[in-house]
């Protein structure tokens, strides 16, 4: 279903001039959501998934799994809905165990009628968690996709297995678009100690973006994911060289609208009473430009309705997660989803 609205859209031009106009626009939503350990109940002998089994530490039963599918599909069906009256057109996902859990997700009644397609590869991550991309078949036609390895070694020079970066190219309403889905290495062991791994993830991401741009200089590229870094950290600012102000953009730059949100104190997850915005969506500067018959960036947000927020206890105000303090509470995720709206003027 294609949604059109007559909007008063406020935006910045490249010169930094504020402009407002009333036009009819088609809106497409790109979202990302960390599903917080969406595992099935089957013990996979090749990965460390033992906790998320009926006999494991988490007592992960089929009833709890089905409740998790219900919760995740509900959230996905509502991201960006106040502006579009529908679910996102493109969704990046992380912390999912395999293709089957994604199939269960899109076949839930919350999402079934949206007719999503799935692009997924198994990553070599030790816990068996992957990334994936969902797309509405009526909006997006994939033309190529590949999963690229992030090769890391630990202090003993052994391979440190982590998530791949998923690259999907295709046609969005007749326009070429490229999407990259990320889940960068965690801060386990401390932010400083683990930082080199995220620097390497950023370098891989930059190589991917540069390669696409070299083949197609006008390519529109959107990268998204749980980066385990904030928008102001070195991986974003020094390696990818993202910019948070439209007025500072040059044609070859990457724009990160999450930087403005972060500086306003908006986060997607909380730890020790401090908000982080690890979940981000950033993209090539040409997506900010207004070009005839092409999509451009309108706005970004963190989706955090009241039902996704813990109302009591030690984690009051935090995202309402599935487990808290080792106890099952039947919530959603320890992350809020993030999204951007793309708009295109129509007659």
């Amino acid at each position: 279903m294609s949604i059109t609205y007559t909007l008063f859209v406020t935006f910045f031009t490249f010169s930094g001039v504020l402009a407002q106009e009333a036009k009819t626009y088609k809106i497409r939503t790109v979202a990302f959501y960390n599903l917080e350990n969406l595992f099935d109940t089957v013990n996979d002998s090749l990965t460390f998934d033992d906790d998320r089994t009926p006999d494991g530490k988490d007592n992960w039963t089929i009833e709890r799994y089905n409740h998790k599918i219900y919760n995740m599909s509900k959230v996905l069906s509502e991201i960006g809905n106040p502006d579009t009256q529908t679910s996102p057109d493109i969704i990046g996902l992380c912390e999912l165990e395999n293709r089957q859990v994604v199939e269960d997700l899109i076949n839930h009644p919350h999402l079934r009628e949206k007719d999503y397609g799935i692009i997924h590869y198994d990553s070599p991550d030790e816990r068996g968690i992957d990334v994936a991309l969902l797309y509405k078949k009526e909006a997006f036609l994939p033309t190529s996709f590949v999963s690229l390895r992030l090769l890391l070694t630990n202090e003993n020079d052994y391979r440190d297995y982590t998530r791949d970066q998923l690259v999907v190219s295709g046609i969005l309403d007749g326009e070429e678009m490229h999407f990259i889905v990320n889940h960068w290495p965690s801060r386990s062991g401390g932010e400083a100690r683990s930082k080199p791994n995220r620097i390497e993830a950023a370098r891989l991401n930059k190589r991917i973006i540069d390669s696409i741009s070299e083949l197609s200089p006008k390519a529109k590229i959107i990268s998204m994911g749980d980066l385990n870094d904030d928008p102001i950290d070195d991986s974003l600012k020094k390696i990818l060289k993202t910019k948070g102000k439209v007025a500072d953009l040059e044609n070859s730059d990457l724009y990160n609208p999450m930087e403005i949100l972060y500086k306003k104190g908006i986060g997607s997850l909380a730890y020790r009473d401090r908000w982080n915005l690890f979940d981000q969506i950033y993209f090539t500067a040409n997506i900010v430009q207004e070009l005839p018959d092409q999509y451009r960036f309108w706005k970004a947000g963190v989706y955090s309705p009241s039902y996704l927020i813990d109302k009591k206890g030690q984690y009051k105000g935090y995202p309402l997660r599935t487990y808290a303090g080792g106890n099952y509470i039947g919530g959603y995720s320890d992350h809020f989803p993030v999204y951007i709206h793309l708009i295109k003027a129509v007659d």
Side-chain angles (χ1 to χ4, degrees), residues 76-94:
L76 292 175
S77 72
E78 296 177 354
I79 300 170
N81 185 278
D83 292 311
T84 65
Q85 308 304 304
T86 188
S87 61
D89 303 281
I90 304 288
I91 307 174
L93 301 173
C94 78

Side-chain angles (χ1 to χ4, degrees), residues 272-289:
R272 293 182 177 176
D273 295 331
R274 178 180 180 271
W275 283 96
N276 294 101
L277 189 45
F278 290 171
D279 305 274
Q280 300 176 50
I281 304 174
Y282 50 96
F283 40 85
T284 47
N286 53 3
I287 297 178
V288 180
Q289 295 175 297

Side-chain angles (χ1 to χ4, degrees), residues 48 56 58 65 70 85 88 138 144 156-157 188 201 262 291-292 322 324:
F48 299 124
D58 293 335
Y65 173 72
Y70 177 95
Q85 308 304 304
E138 62 92 14
S144 67
N156 297 317
D157 288 330
S188 176
Y262 177 74
L291 299 170
T322 305

Side-chain angles (χ1 to χ4, degrees), residues 90-296:
I90 304 288
I91 307 174
L93 301 173
C94 78
E95 285 204 15
L96 54 100
E97 187 177 16
N98 50 44
R99 185 182 179 93
Q100 185 57 56
V101 301
V102 188
E103 294 277 4
D104 292 344
L105 197 62
I106 67 168
N107 286 319
H108 189 277
H110 285 138
L111 296 175
R112 188 182 302 140
E113 293 183 359
K114 306 301 182 183
D115 194 24
Y116 281 107
I118 300 171
I119 298 175
H120 164 269
Y121 290 87
D122 285 316
S123 286
D125 180 85
E126 294 171 351
R127 291 202 300 131
I129 55 175
D130 308 329
V131 299
L133 187 88
L134 305 182
Y135 61 94
K136 284 184 178 174
K137 296 175 184 177
E138 62 92 14
F140 182 70
L141 175 65
T143 55
S144 67
F145 37 90
V146 64
S147 188
L148 297 177
R149 291 282 153 88
L150 174 60
L151 299 176
L152 302 173
T153 56
N154 61 26
E155 60 271 18
N156 297 317
D157 288 330
Y158 289 113
R159 174 82 180 272
D160 189 358
Y161 293 95
T162 187
R163 280 77 61 179
D164 294 349
Q165 294 186 17
L166 177 63
V167 186
V168 180
S169 301
I171 308 299
L172 180 68
D173 292 331
E175 186 175 347
E176 181 183 349
M177 288 272 187
H178 307 265
F179 300 96
I180 309 170
V181 186
N182 304 265
H183 186 192
W184 291 1
S186 76
R187 295 192 171 196
S188 176
E191 187 277 332
R193 183 179 178 184
S194 59
K195 177 179 177 178
N197 288 340
R198 290 185 297 283
I199 293 294
E200 287 304 312
R203 286 180 174 142
L204 173 59
N205 200 236
K206 188 174 190 309
R207 287 197 298 271
I208 294 169
I209 293 169
D210 289 348
S211 296
I212 296 171
S213 297
E214 185 175 348
L215 291 172
S216 179
K218 295 182 180 180
K220 290 188 171 182
I221 307 167
I222 298 175
S223 191
M224 67 184 101
D226 174 2
L227 310 183
N228 278 298
D229 267 342
D230 286 313
I232 60 170
D233 285 327
D234 287 350
S235 56
L236 277 300
K237 301 303 288 183
K238 291 186 177 180
I239 305 301
L240 287 161
K241 295 182 170 58
T242 56
K243 294 184 177 179
K245 294 182 180 179
V246 171
D248 294 339
L249 287 174
E250 297 181 3
N251 288 335
S252 60
D253 288 333
L254 295 172
Y255 177 56
N256 188 356
M258 303 300 169
E259 185 174 329
I260 296 173
L261 299 180
Y262 177 74
K263 290 178 177 178
K264 290 180 179 179
I266 297 172
S268 59
L269 73 158
Y271 179 68
R272 293 182 177 176
D273 295 331
R274 178 180 180 271
W275 283 96
N276 294 101
L277 189 45
F278 290 171
D279 305 274
Q280 300 176 50
I281 304 174
Y282 50 96
F283 40 85
T284 47
N286 53 3
I287 297 178
V288 180
Q289 295 175 297
E290 182 177 15
L291 299 170
D293 300 319
Q294 294 187 28
Y295 281 108
R296 77 167 190 264

